[in-house]
Amino acid sequence: MELRRWPRRNDAESIRARQQALDVDGEVFGHDLTPWAAAQEALTGVAVIPVSVIGPLTVELGEYELREPAGELRESGRSREEIFVPLAHTEGGLSISLYRGARAASESGGFRTYVLHDRITRASCFVCGSTAEAVALARWLEGHAGEMRSFLTEHRDPSISSFAKLREVESHVIGPMCHVLWKWTTGDACGPNMITRNAYALNMGFVMERAPVKPRRAILEANMGGDKKPSFQYFRSGHGKTVLAECTLTEDAVRRVLRTTVDDLLELAWAGTHGAVASGMQSVAFTPASAVAAIFAATGQDLGMVGTSSMAHGTGHGVPGGIHCAIRFPGLEVGTVGGGTTLPYARTWLELIGCAGSGKVYRFAQIVAAAALALEISASAAMATAGSESFFRAHHERGGLR
Amino acid sequence: MELRRWPRRNDAESIRARQQALDVDGEVFGHDLTPWAAAQEALTGVAVIPVSVIGPLTVELGEYELREPAGELRESGRSREEIFVPLAHTEGGLSISLYRGARAASESGGFRTYVLHDRITRASCFVCGSTAEAVALARWLEGHAGEMRSFLTEHRDPSISSFAKLREVESHVIGPMCHVLWKWTTGDACGPNMITRNAYALNMGFVMERAPVKPRRAILEANMGGDKKPSFQYFRSGHGKTVLAECTLTEDAVRRVLRTTVDDLLELAWAGTHGAVASGMQSVAFTPASAVAAIFAATGQDLGMVGTSSMAHGTGHGVPGGIHCAIRFPGLEVGTVGGGTTLPYARTWLELIGCAGSGKVYRFAQIVAAAALALEISASAAMATAGSESFFRAHHERGGLR
Amino acid sequence: MELRRWPRRNDAESIRARQQALDVDGEVFGHDLTPWAAAQEALTGVAVIPVSVIGPLTVELGEYELREPAGELRESGRSREEIFVPLAHTEGGLSISLYRGARAASESGGFRTYVLHDRITRASCFVCGSTAEAVALARWLEGHAGEMRSFLTEHRDPSISSFAKLREVESHVIGPMCHVLWKWTTGDACGPNMITRNAYALNMGFVMERAPVKPRRAILEANMGGDKKPSFQYFRSGHGKTVLAECTLTEDAVRRVLRTTVDDLLELAWAGTHGAVASGMQSVAFTPASAVAAIFAATGQDLGMVGTSSMAHGTGHGVPGGIHCAIRFPGLEVGTVGGGTTLPYARTWLELIGCAGSGKVYRFAQIVAAAALALEISASAAMATAGSESFFRAHHERGGLR
Amino acid sequence: MELRRWPRRNDAESIRARQQALDVDGEVFGHDLTPWAAAQEALTGVAVIPVSVIGPLTVELGEYELREPAGELRESGRSREEIFVPLAHTEGGLSISLYRGARAASESGGFRTYVLHDRITRASCFVCGSTAEAVALARWLEGHAGEMRSFLTEHRDPSISSFAKLREVESHVIGPMCHVLWKWTTGDACGPNMITRNAYALNMGFVMERAPVKPRRAILEANMGGDKKPSFQYFRSGHGKTVLAECTLTEDAVRRVLRTTVDDLLELAWAGTHGAVASGMQSVAFTPASAVAAIFAATGQDLGMVGTSSMAHGTGHGVPGGIHCAIRFPGLEVGTVGGGTTLPYARTWLELIGCAGSGKVYRFAQIVAAAALALEISASAAMATAGSESFFRAHHERGGLR
């Protein structure tokens, strides 16, 4: 095939040209691609991933709203629901394990979830002529957040999104670089593109125009923003929605459903936490990425964010009559509008959990956290029994494909 | 819905019962699920993700074989190919960006890739009565690797996989815990389940039976194994295939294809590396997870491993007449047999790149690395120009969905 | 010797009893210990460390004051000085190397230093009955910072220090734990004890008494406070004084004084930064701890804080006609009053640099940063030349003791 | 004072010239400096730090020898001793706290210590023309460790130390860089200078001369070597002596000596471990640097290594009738010959603990670990009681200086 000839457009002819050029089984070309024509360039076929539905997860969910103008979250209510979650994956044993964890929790009173924080960051970098200039720029930036908010609100440029609201401006000077963390809320969208556009507008339209010290260079993103790479910065302070999930398992549920004991679970939590430290893991958890990835794949989230969204801090703690299990997700990067969420299949799976469209993003983030905690509980139980027999058996019996 | 009644089996009736119980658009139920019946429990429907095909990537690939008995990699040849890669995602701009990077590389002589190392780890933990006992156990374990290899080879237990070969045994004592890193090769499979089963057999059948100090507890995995959580341990020493990709871009390709300059790219590399350090990122790179996730989703890899497989260390370095760009992936957790790779769609997309079935895993790992480097180059170029105009425009024009 | 008889008091008789009980050369007992009798228990003798004095360091220092009530730093002036620094150590080559770096900087216009931030943290932890309770406590804590400030100001308890002022209150919920970061300024003292006492008073006198949710347990410090262990949290956000130092070396000074080239220094900075990332260093620098430890030992700082105070982020950047060198110390934990600073010898060495007593702590922090940058520059130069011959020779000729 | 005139030599006249030039209290000049004239350049005066002696620490120490040719440690015996340790510091409460921990341990049967590993690293970097060349160089290096050992042994260059023995060679390729970790044992010296000289000889005399691919540049140390900056690499794998200390405290000793309970200590260990994770600490421990620094300052160790040597992983674990307490120091960088250890005062304090001179370095490393564990135990107890009253009181009563 000729380098210059590979068509990248998504008209019917280009799509067909690509399909014909590729000598593979037509199965992958068997879907009408029209619904996805705006989703990516050089569209050629589809991937199909099987989806299980597992439930009910008994979850007490919080209802949240962002308070203006500062953008803090306020909990306006809580309600208890039974939810069936879609899981797109091909890992034998995962669905049944999550089911087992959900059952143990349900029999113990269910999960409770909380959204603590909502911010997503784009971090630009202004390279100055000296540290002195970078320090001066940093002070100026931190002192002009209000003006920058007005600039974005009042500007007529159609590329500026009104959904992405600038909340805080934080600088970090290293050598002659003034890195700046633009912190946003993005409504019900995950929002990486809208904050990119708005950050660009700020950089070029406000900072480079008005700063008392003209930077030598503006870089739109220089890796302090937490985009798709796990980092301590956002493990600690959040990127997307910071969500907690908890449940207190009864001894009875631990024994009957999970077939282990509270002591075994506590020993595992202890050894696993120290193992995480010893191997330089940022997260302390067993397999949160499995649940996050499976829900993301079903619901049109950005799969490139599986690693960052799976940063997690899990704990187990003995309480009278049972064990308290909890997990903290500092940065679930999720949306219920925009991106892949409005496309076929994804939209339907979001509807299944009542999370399609506006006003649903905190609900969705909490469901992800609860489902992941269900899997953590079950995976822990499998590893916690003396000799870990049940983990072994579960994999042996059901994991035959791998 | 009744808690105890949710059916988990994959016979036609159970599938139908689940579908009928869920009040959603039938679109997601429209596929015959039979081919996936063994892939997961509680199978209910499908997710469909659009796939672009981008190419050609000009890549000089190495051919590798594992030398027995030690399991080191040996390069047995190199050859140059033009490859078209499938990308399953819904991120506007990603496919075209990867295409642009591939073109710049092709015009500069193409990519070259290397596989350095092949190991995957399962880390068990033996809790002993004291540090003294844990130290004694550690010494015994490290001195009996040969016997353990024989134990696995000679054992008749059908749960033991002959594909997962024990290569090294490393201990790490903390307090009364003797963590042990079982290091394996797994043939052309990614292999998490086979190493789980073999590690279990070692723990229960060899260590707990024969160790001179009987541990109080064996835990199959206590987080030193690198399973689905990024960690420094495996950023440094590898989990799966350790792969390098490089290319030296000419000034001309940088200017014409990427529309930036070598100096701009070098400044970005410098600022982005320091930004990564400042934000506590383990990786130094811009967006490797986007490429990894897109190829993983198309080819039936485990999406829960996107975060770990995307750990990356990228560099840019000025050379006469251009810039040397490279990326190190310490742990691509990939397979070309087993798991989701043999299922419909995934198999076809693997076939497109000549990676379906046995003997293909090193090839596949290299293609992932080259594709990710193509995207890194293009994303860097977009951010590197003064003011990052082209990044902005690319997102503005094509990223409308998000 | 009898376990129960070892005397711990510092009266003359107890001191003599200890000295007589120990069968060692009397040299270490030859000083009158009276001046140190209040500095530690079981005082028995002395250690003597040789001190070099190196200078002049040409430094443009900022003058800073804390603005009330918020406690931000304001720069009120800048002045240029020539300073001679005391270095207590026994590492052959260190003093002369620092001297060389200082000369190169002086010939290039000298160092410039900046204090960006001043906060020290004590992080307590309240263990609650559930995540729900921990979340409720966290919200209450963050909403009552003002009342807590008043509580500390108005309280009559003599254990509460009026020098340690509470500036911000930040919570971090994990499982049922509500960690809380109490952030303080401590005047011219380093202040670990005063913030301990005030944090204790807050925990027991305010939180445990008034919180709407009574925590089950209050832990005064549970490792989020940054005390004596390096951490990303404080590498990023500061613990003590956040100080920057910079200088722009001329090509001429690089060549004549450092006997290397700008290109060599830039290559080293590039390779050394990537080496730091690859080895999981938090800091990017060569040997800041050598300078920090030597000044700390001379001036009565807490040597247990050498590791945390040496966290550093160094950069090198090419500029027309030279190279810009800079270092960021996020957390210099220093004092010019209190602790060991008022004791003999320490006080004198502080006086040498004009840093004894009140109103001197920002000056002192800047001098530490400038001296450390001088050493970084020289150590880099030694490693940067082709083959690193000069580093080799310097160690060979002068490092004979080791 | 004139820049060019500052004398750097240590003849009597130069010393006097420096002293006269500095307008400070003569106290710091009151010692005869002759004994330190070879220890550093520009010697001008002294620092004096008060030293307490605390004991007895009841410790069961291992005796170790390095087995040739591979350099693994072999334990050749164990013996129980009562040791009095010297602590040079000015932190009120530290000595008495360490004493209390030692008493609790003594009453519970004492400490036991183990040396697991002995290696120190110098990491050089060869910058090549491409990744291909760096990969080829890496393979060649790893395949020529034997020849390099012979080169060092047979070479007549007086700068090559026969005490520093090359044990392993490990490469790490990033982009066009071939980093190489030279791993050494250094006898009873800490050894940074001897490994620097030997690494230099290898780089210039062996690699640059004989490698099939001539590197473009050799950098003696590019930050993968763990020199004076804490890093995950060496937290995990060790730099200097890897030492473990343990003791099992009885409930009685916990109650009577430490005035807390086993449950309180376990809760603190749990909360403190999670606090460490949340703040991005590499270490899990409370205050190991305090003990390490105090012993280092008394015994002539390199104070610039306090941060790296204090990397620690502590654990607490409930056992019938008590609590098991342990700490792992992955990299105690200590010596009993060379550096500051042979100088006055330092030598005497080393003699006090039977650690002066050859054949004592493993003993010394174990004493440091046991003393640090004593302090950990006491500091934990102070923080663990409900409300942490005793910690508060201890600081309040004794920490008046700060």
Side-chain angles (χ1 to χ4, degrees):
Chain A
M1 272 160 292
E2 249 296 282
L3 177 67
R4 306 203 155 272
R5 302 285 301 282
W6 190 246
R8 284 148 287 156
R9 296 175 59 188
N10 284 346
D11 55 280
E13 193 178 348
S14 297
I15 290 176
R16 199 163 42 244
R18 284 191 292 271
Q19 291 176 341
Q20 286 171 352
L22 302 172
D23 179 28
V24 294
D25 183 325
E27 162 196 69
V28 296
F29 304 144
H31 286 67
D32 172 18
L33 300 180
T34 315
W36 294 289
Q40 57 160 242
E41 310 80 34
L43 181 61
T44 308
V46 299
V48 179
I49 302 179
V51 175
S52 60
V53 175
I54 286 294
L57 266 74
T58 307
V59 193
E60 182 197 292
L61 298 159
E63 288 142 34
Y64 295 91
E65 53 193 36
L66 269 184
R67 269 194 288 204
E68 296 299 338
E72 329 88 282
L73 279 176
R74 185 172 155 274
E75 189 177 285
S76 55
R78 299 192 63 80
S79 62
R80 189 183 162 101
E81 292 190 43
E82 304 227 319
I83 297 164
F84 287 76
V85 292
L87 303 167
H89 68 92
T90 57
E91 183 179 353
L94 192 164
S95 294
I96 200 75
S97 186
L98 198 153
Y99 175 78
R100 187 172 74 141
R103 258 189 67 206
S106 290
E107 299 201 358
S108 303
F111 297 104
R112 290 182 299 283
T113 56
Y114 311 89
V115 186
L116 288 191
H117 192 60
D118 180 10
R119 286 295 182 276
I120 194 161
T121 309
R122 182 67 68 210
S124 300
C125 177
F126 299 97
V127 182
C128 300
S130 66
T131 300
E133 289 181 14
V135 168
L137 181 62
R139 287 178 188 145
W140 182 83
L141 284 168
E142 298 208 343
H144 286 72
E147 287 86 342
M148 292 191 267
R149 276 185 216 108
S150 303
F151 170 85
L152 289 172
T153 311
E154 293 159 13
H155 209 290
R156 301 286 109 214
D157 184 331
S159 76
I160 294 179
S161 165
S162 61
F163 292 106
K165 294 181 201 232
L166 181 67
R167 300 299 183 171
E168 292 96 20
V169 175
E170 188 185 1
S171 65
H172 188 84
V173 177
I174 315 162
M177 290 170 270
C178 178
H179 290 265
V180 55
L181 285 66
W182 307 117
K183 304 183 182 181
W184 312 87
T185 56
T186 53
D188 292 290
C190 180
N193 280 352
M194 59 173 78
I195 65 174
T196 296
R197 295 197 302 270
N198 286 17
Y200 177 78
L202 278 178
N203 291 354
M204 305 310 290
F206 192 93
V207 181
M208 297 299 277
E209 293 295 320
R210 306 189 194 181
V213 180
K214 169 90 175 170
R216 304 203 172 174
R217 178 184 295 272
I219 294 171
L220 184 44
E221 170 65 57
N223 271 337
M224 286 199 75
D227 193 35
K228 301 194 185 176
K229 288 93 54 183
S231 67
F232 180 79
Q233 171 76 26
Y234 297 102
F235 175 69
R236 171 70 177 83
S237 70
H239 199 259
K241 319 309 175 199
T242 302
V243 185
L244 308 181
E246 70 170 327
C247 71
T248 300
L249 298 175
T250 63
E251 279 175 359
D252 184 61
V254 169
R255 195 178 56 248
R256 280 194 311 103
V257 182
L258 301 177
R259 299 183 185 280
T260 184
T261 68
V262 166
D263 276 357
D264 285 348
L265 287 173
L266 289 173
E267 279 287 281
L268 176 76
W270 173 75
T273 300
H274 284 292
V277 168
S279 72
M281 278 174 52
Q282 213 153 43
S283 291
V284 171
F286 288 103
T287 192
S290 297
V292 167
I295 302 178
F296 274 33
T299 60
Q301 309 300 313
D302 188 336
L303 293 171
M305 293 176 169
V306 163
T308 39
S309 289
S310 298
M311 295 190 294
H313 194 160
T315 56
H317 195 227
V319 294
I323 179 172
H324 181 266
C325 299
I327 196 159
R328 174 188 178 96
F329 282 98
L332 286 171
E333 294 149 315
V334 290
T336 57
V337 305
T341 65
T342 53
L343 297 171
Y345 300 88
R347 186 74 173 186
T348 302
W349 292 121
L350 279 172
E351 282 166 0
L352 169 65
I353 48 177
C355 293
S358 290
K360 301 297 188 186
V361 74
Y362 299 128
R363 173 185 173 86
F364 180 59
Q366 291 174 84
I367 291 172
V368 174
L373 180 53
L375 183 61
E376 285 295 288
I377 286 170
S378 178
S380 298
M383 285 185 278
T385 49
S388 306
E389 286 95 340
S390 64
F391 181 51
F392 174 66
R393 274 193 220 112
H395 276 73
H396 186 195
E397 288 165 17
R398 300 189 199 91
L401 281 173
R402 300 165 81 192
Chain B
M1 273 161 293
E2 249 297 279
L3 176 69
R4 308 201 154 271
R5 303 286 302 282
W6 190 248
R8 283 146 289 155
R9 297 175 60 188
N10 285 346
D11 55 280
E13 192 179 349
S14 297
I15 290 175
R16 198 162 43 243
R18 284 191 292 270
Q19 292 176 339
Q20 287 171 350
L22 301 173
D23 179 27
V24 294
D25 185 325
E27 160 196 72
V28 296
F29 304 145
H31 285 67
D32 172 18
L33 301 181
T34 315
W36 295 289
Q40 57 160 240
E41 310 81 32
L43 181 61
T44 308
V46 299
V48 179
I49 303 179
V51 175
S52 59
V53 175
I54 286 292
L57 265 76
T58 308
V59 193
E60 182 196 292
L61 298 159
E63 289 142 33
Y64 296 91
E65 54 193 34
L66 269 184
R67 269 194 290 203
E68 296 299 339
E72 329 87 284
L73 281 175
R74 185 173 155 274
E75 188 177 285
S76 55
R78 300 192 62 80
S79 61
R80 188 182 162 101
E81 293 188 42
E82 305 227 317
I83 296 163
F84 287 75
V85 292
L87 303 167
H89 68 92
T90 56
E91 183 179 352
L94 192 164
S95 294
I96 200 77
S97 185
L98 198 152
Y99 175 79
R100 187 172 75 141
R103 258 189 68 206
S106 290
E107 299 201 0
S108 303
F111 298 104
R112 291 181 300 283
T113 56
Y114 311 89
V115 186
L116 288 192
H117 192 59
D118 181 9
R119 286 294 182 276
I120 194 162
T121 309
R122 182 66 67 211
S124 300
C125 177
F126 298 97
V127 183
C128 298
S130 66
T131 300
E133 289 181 15
V135 168
L137 180 63
R139 287 176 186 144
W140 182 83
L141 284 168
E142 298 208 343
H144 286 73
E147 288 85 341
M148 291 191 269
R149 276 183 216 107
S150 303
F151 170 85
L152 289 172
T153 312
E154 293 159 14
H155 210 290
R156 299 288 110 212
D157 185 332
S159 77
I160 294 178
S161 164
S162 62
F163 292 105
K165 294 183 201 231
L166 181 67
R167 299 299 182 173
E168 292 96 19
V169 175
E170 188 187 0
S171 65
H172 188 84
V173 178
I174 316 162
M177 290 169 271
C178 179
H179 290 264
V180 55
L181 284 66
W182 307 117
K183 304 183 181 180
W184 311 88
T185 56
T186 53
D188 292 289
C190 180
N193 280 351
M194 59 173 76
I195 65 174
T196 295
R197 294 196 304 268
N198 286 17
Y200 177 79
L202 278 177
N203 291 354
M204 305 310 290
F206 192 93
V207 181
M208 296 300 276
E209 293 294 320
R210 304 188 194 181
V213 180
K214 169 91 175 170
R216 303 199 174 176
R217 180 185 294 272
I219 293 171
L220 185 43
E221 171 65 59
N223 271 337
M224 287 199 74
D227 192 34
K228 301 193 184 176
K229 286 93 54 181
S231 66
F232 180 80
Q233 171 76 27
Y234 298 102
F235 175 71
R236 170 70 177 84
S237 70
H239 199 258
K241 320 307 176 199
T242 302
V243 185
L244 309 181
E246 70 169 328
C247 71
T248 299
L249 299 175
T250 64
E251 279 175 358
D252 183 62
V254 169
R255 194 178 57 249
R256 278 194 312 102
V257 183
L258 301 177
R259 298 183 185 281
T260 182
T261 68
V262 165
D263 277 355
D264 286 346
L265 287 173
L266 289 173
E267 280 287 280
L268 176 76
W270 172 76
T273 300
H274 285 292
V277 168
S279 73
M281 278 175 52
Q282 212 153 45
S283 292
V284 171
F286 288 104
T287 191
S290 297
V292 167
I295 302 179
F296 273 33
T299 61
Q301 310 300 314
D302 187 337
L303 294 172
M305 293 175 169
V306 164
T308 39
S309 289
S310 298
M311 294 189 296
H313 194 159
T315 55
H317 195 227
V319 295
I323 178 171
H324 181 265
C325 299
I327 196 160
R328 174 189 178 94
F329 283 100
L332 285 171
E333 297 150 313
V334 292
T336 57
V337 304
T341 65
T342 54
L343 297 172
Y345 300 88
R347 187 73 174 189
T348 302
W349 292 121
L350 279 172
E351 282 166 1
L352 169 66
I353 49 177
C355 292
S358 291
K360 302 296 188 187
V361 74
Y362 298 127
R363 173 184 173 85
F364 181 59
Q366 291 173 85
I367 291 171
V368 174
L373 181 53
L375 183 61
E376 285 294 289
I377 286 170
S378 178
S380 299
M383 286 184 278
T385 48
S388 304
E389 286 95 340
S390 64
F391 182 50
F392 174 65
R393 275 192 219 112
H395 275 73
H396 186 193
E397 287 164 17
R398 301 189 198 89
L401 280 174
R402 302 167 78 195
Chain C
M1 274 159 292
E2 249 296 280
L3 174 68
R4 307 203 154 270
R5 302 284 300 284
W6 191 246
R8 283 147 287 155
R9 297 175 58 188
N10 285 346
D11 54 280
E13 193 181 348
S14 296
I15 290 176
R16 198 161 46 243
R18 284 192 293 269
Q19 292 177 340
Q20 287 171 351
L22 301 173
D23 179 29
V24 294
D25 185 323
E27 163 196 67
V28 296
F29 304 145
H31 285 68
D32 172 18
L33 301 181
T34 315
W36 295 290
Q40 57 160 242
E41 309 81 32
L43 181 61
T44 308
V46 299
V48 179
I49 303 179
V51 174
S52 59
V53 174
I54 286 294
L57 266 75
T58 308
V59 192
E60 183 196 291
L61 298 159
E63 289 143 33
Y64 296 90
E65 53 193 36
L66 268 185
R67 270 195 287 203
E68 297 298 340
E72 329 88 284
L73 281 175
R74 186 173 154 274
E75 189 177 283
S76 55
R78 299 192 63 79
S79 62
R80 188 183 162 100
E81 294 189 42
E82 305 227 316
I83 296 163
F84 287 75
V85 292
L87 303 167
H89 68 92
T90 57
E91 183 180 352
L94 192 164
S95 295
I96 199 76
S97 186
L98 198 152
Y99 175 78
R100 188 172 73 141
R103 258 190 68 206
S106 289
E107 300 201 359
S108 304
F111 298 104
R112 289 182 301 281
T113 56
Y114 311 88
V115 186
L116 288 192
H117 191 60
D118 181 9
R119 287 296 183 275
I120 193 161
T121 310
R122 181 67 68 210
S124 300
C125 177
F126 298 97
V127 183
C128 299
S130 67
T131 299
E133 289 181 14
V135 167
L137 181 62
R139 287 176 188 147
W140 181 83
L141 285 168
E142 299 209 340
H144 285 73
E147 287 86 340
M148 291 191 268
R149 276 184 215 108
S150 304
F151 169 86
L152 289 172
T153 311
E154 293 159 13
H155 210 289
R156 299 290 107 210
D157 185 332
S159 75
I160 294 179
S161 165
S162 62
F163 293 105
K165 294 182 203 235
L166 181 67
R167 299 299 184 174
E168 292 97 20
V169 175
E170 188 187 0
S171 66
H172 188 84
V173 177
I174 315 161
M177 289 170 272
C178 178
H179 290 265
V180 54
L181 284 67
W182 307 116
K183 304 183 182 180
W184 311 87
T185 56
T186 54
D188 292 290
C190 180
N193 280 351
M194 59 172 77
I195 64 174
T196 296
R197 292 196 305 269
N198 286 17
Y200 176 78
L202 278 178
N203 292 353
M204 305 309 291
F206 192 93
V207 181
M208 295 299 276
E209 293 294 320
R210 306 189 194 181
V213 180
K214 169 89 175 172
R216 304 202 173 176
R217 179 184 294 273
I219 294 171
L220 184 45
E221 171 65 58
N223 271 336
M224 286 199 76
D227 193 34
K228 302 193 183 178
K229 287 91 56 182
S231 66
F232 180 79
Q233 170 77 26
Y234 297 102
F235 174 71
R236 171 69 178 84
S237 69
H239 199 260
K241 319 308 175 199
T242 302
V243 185
L244 309 181
E246 71 169 326
C247 72
T248 299
L249 299 175
T250 63
E251 278 175 0
D252 183 62
V254 169
R255 193 179 58 248
R256 281 193 311 100
V257 182
L258 301 176
R259 298 183 185 282
T260 183
T261 68
V262 165
D263 276 355
D264 286 348
L265 287 173
L266 290 173
E267 279 287 281
L268 176 75
W270 172 75
T273 300
H274 285 292
V277 169
S279 73
M281 278 175 53
Q282 212 153 43
S283 292
V284 171
F286 288 104
T287 192
S290 297
V292 167
I295 302 178
F296 274 32
T299 59
Q301 310 299 315
D302 187 337
L303 293 171
M305 293 174 169
V306 163
T308 38
S309 289
S310 299
M311 295 189 294
H313 194 161
T315 55
H317 194 227
V319 295
I323 178 171
H324 181 265
C325 299
I327 195 159
R328 175 189 178 94
F329 283 99
L332 285 172
E333 295 149 315
V334 291
T336 57
V337 303
T341 65
T342 54
L343 297 172
Y345 300 88
R347 187 75 174 186
T348 302
W349 292 121
L350 280 171
E351 282 165 0
L352 169 66
I353 48 177
C355 293
S358 290
K360 303 295 189 185
V361 74
Y362 299 127
R363 173 183 173 86
F364 181 59
Q366 291 174 83
I367 291 172
V368 174
L373 181 54
L375 183 61
E376 285 295 290
I377 285 170
S378 178
S380 297
M383 285 185 280
T385 49
S388 305
E389 285 94 341
S390 64
F391 182 51
F392 174 66
R393 274 192 220 113
H395 275 74
H396 186 195
E397 287 163 16
R398 301 189 199 90
L401 283 174
R402 300 167 79 193
Chain D
M1 271 161 294
E2 248 298 278
L3 176 69
R4 306 202 154 272
R5 303 284 301 282
W6 191 246
R8 283 147 289 155
R9 296 175 59 188
N10 286 345
D11 56 280
E13 192 180 349
S14 296
I15 290 176
R16 200 163 40 245
R18 284 192 293 270
Q19 292 176 341
Q20 287 171 350
L22 302 173
D23 179 29
V24 294
D25 184 325
E27 164 196 70
V28 296
F29 304 145
H31 286 68
D32 171 19
L33 300 181
T34 315
W36 294 290
Q40 57 160 241
E41 310 81 32
L43 180 62
T44 307
V46 299
V48 179
I49 302 178
V51 175
S52 59
V53 174
I54 286 293
L57 266 75
T58 308
V59 192
E60 184 198 290
L61 298 159
E63 289 143 34
Y64 295 90
E65 53 193 37
L66 268 185
R67 270 194 288 202
E68 297 298 340
E72 330 87 284
L73 280 175
R74 186 174 154 273
E75 188 177 284
S76 56
R78 300 191 63 78
S79 62
R80 188 183 163 100
E81 291 190 43
E82 305 226 318
I83 295 163
F84 288 74
V85 292
L87 303 168
H89 68 92
T90 57
E91 182 179 352
L94 192 163
S95 294
I96 200 75
S97 185
L98 198 152
Y99 175 79
R100 187 172 75 142
R103 257 188 68 205
S106 289
E107 298 201 0
S108 303
F111 297 104
R112 291 182 299 281
T113 57
Y114 311 87
V115 186
L116 288 192
H117 192 59
D118 181 9
R119 285 297 182 276
I120 193 162
T121 309
R122 182 66 69 213
S124 300
C125 177
F126 299 98
V127 183
C128 300
S130 67
T131 300
E133 289 181 14
V135 168
L137 180 63
R139 286 176 187 146
W140 182 84
L141 285 168
E142 298 209 342
H144 286 73
E147 288 85 342
M148 292 191 267
R149 276 184 216 109
S150 305
F151 169 86
L152 289 173
T153 311
E154 293 159 13
H155 210 288
R156 299 290 107 211
D157 185 332
S159 77
I160 294 178
S161 165
S162 63
F163 292 105
K165 294 182 203 236
L166 181 67
R167 300 298 183 173
E168 292 96 20
V169 175
E170 188 186 359
S171 66
H172 187 84
V173 178
I174 316 161
M177 290 170 271
C178 178
H179 290 265
V180 55
L181 285 66
W182 306 116
K183 304 183 182 182
W184 311 86
T185 56
T186 54
D188 292 290
C190 180
N193 280 352
M194 59 173 77
I195 64 174
T196 296
R197 294 196 304 270
N198 287 16
Y200 177 79
L202 279 178
N203 292 354
M204 305 310 290
F206 192 93
V207 181
M208 296 299 276
E209 294 294 320
R210 306 189 193 179
V213 180
K214 170 91 173 168
R216 304 200 173 176
R217 179 185 293 272
I219 294 171
L220 185 44
E221 171 64 56
N223 271 337
M224 286 199 75
D227 192 34
K228 300 193 185 177
K229 285 94 53 183
S231 66
F232 181 80
Q233 170 77 26
Y234 297 102
F235 175 71
R236 171 70 177 84
S237 71
H239 199 258
K241 319 308 175 199
T242 303
V243 185
L244 309 181
E246 71 170 327
C247 71
T248 300
L249 299 175
T250 63
E251 279 175 0
D252 183 61
V254 169
R255 195 178 56 248
R256 280 194 311 102
V257 182
L258 301 177
R259 299 184 185 280
T260 183
T261 68
V262 166
D263 276 357
D264 286 348
L265 287 173
L266 290 173
E267 281 286 281
L268 177 75
W270 172 76
T273 301
H274 285 292
V277 168
S279 72
M281 279 174 52
Q282 212 153 43
S283 292
V284 171
F286 288 103
T287 191
S290 296
V292 167
I295 302 178
F296 274 33
T299 61
Q301 309 300 314
D302 188 336
L303 294 171
M305 294 175 169
V306 164
T308 39
S309 289
S310 299
M311 294 189 295
H313 195 160
T315 55
H317 194 227
V319 296
I323 179 171
H324 182 266
C325 299
I327 196 159
R328 174 189 179 94
F329 283 99
L332 285 171
E333 296 150 315
V334 291
T336 58
V337 304
T341 66
T342 55
L343 297 171
Y345 300 87
R347 187 73 175 187
T348 301
W349 292 122
L350 280 171
E351 282 166 0
L352 169 66
I353 49 177
C355 291
S358 290
K360 301 296 188 186
V361 74
Y362 299 127
R363 172 185 174 85
F364 180 59
Q366 292 175 82
I367 290 171
V368 174
L373 181 53
L375 183 61
E376 285 294 289
I377 286 170
S378 178
S380 298
M383 285 185 278
T385 48
S388 305
E389 285 94 341
S390 65
F391 182 50
F392 175 64
R393 274 192 219 112
H395 275 73
H396 186 195
E397 289 164 16
R398 302 188 199 90
L401 280 173
R402 301 166 79 195

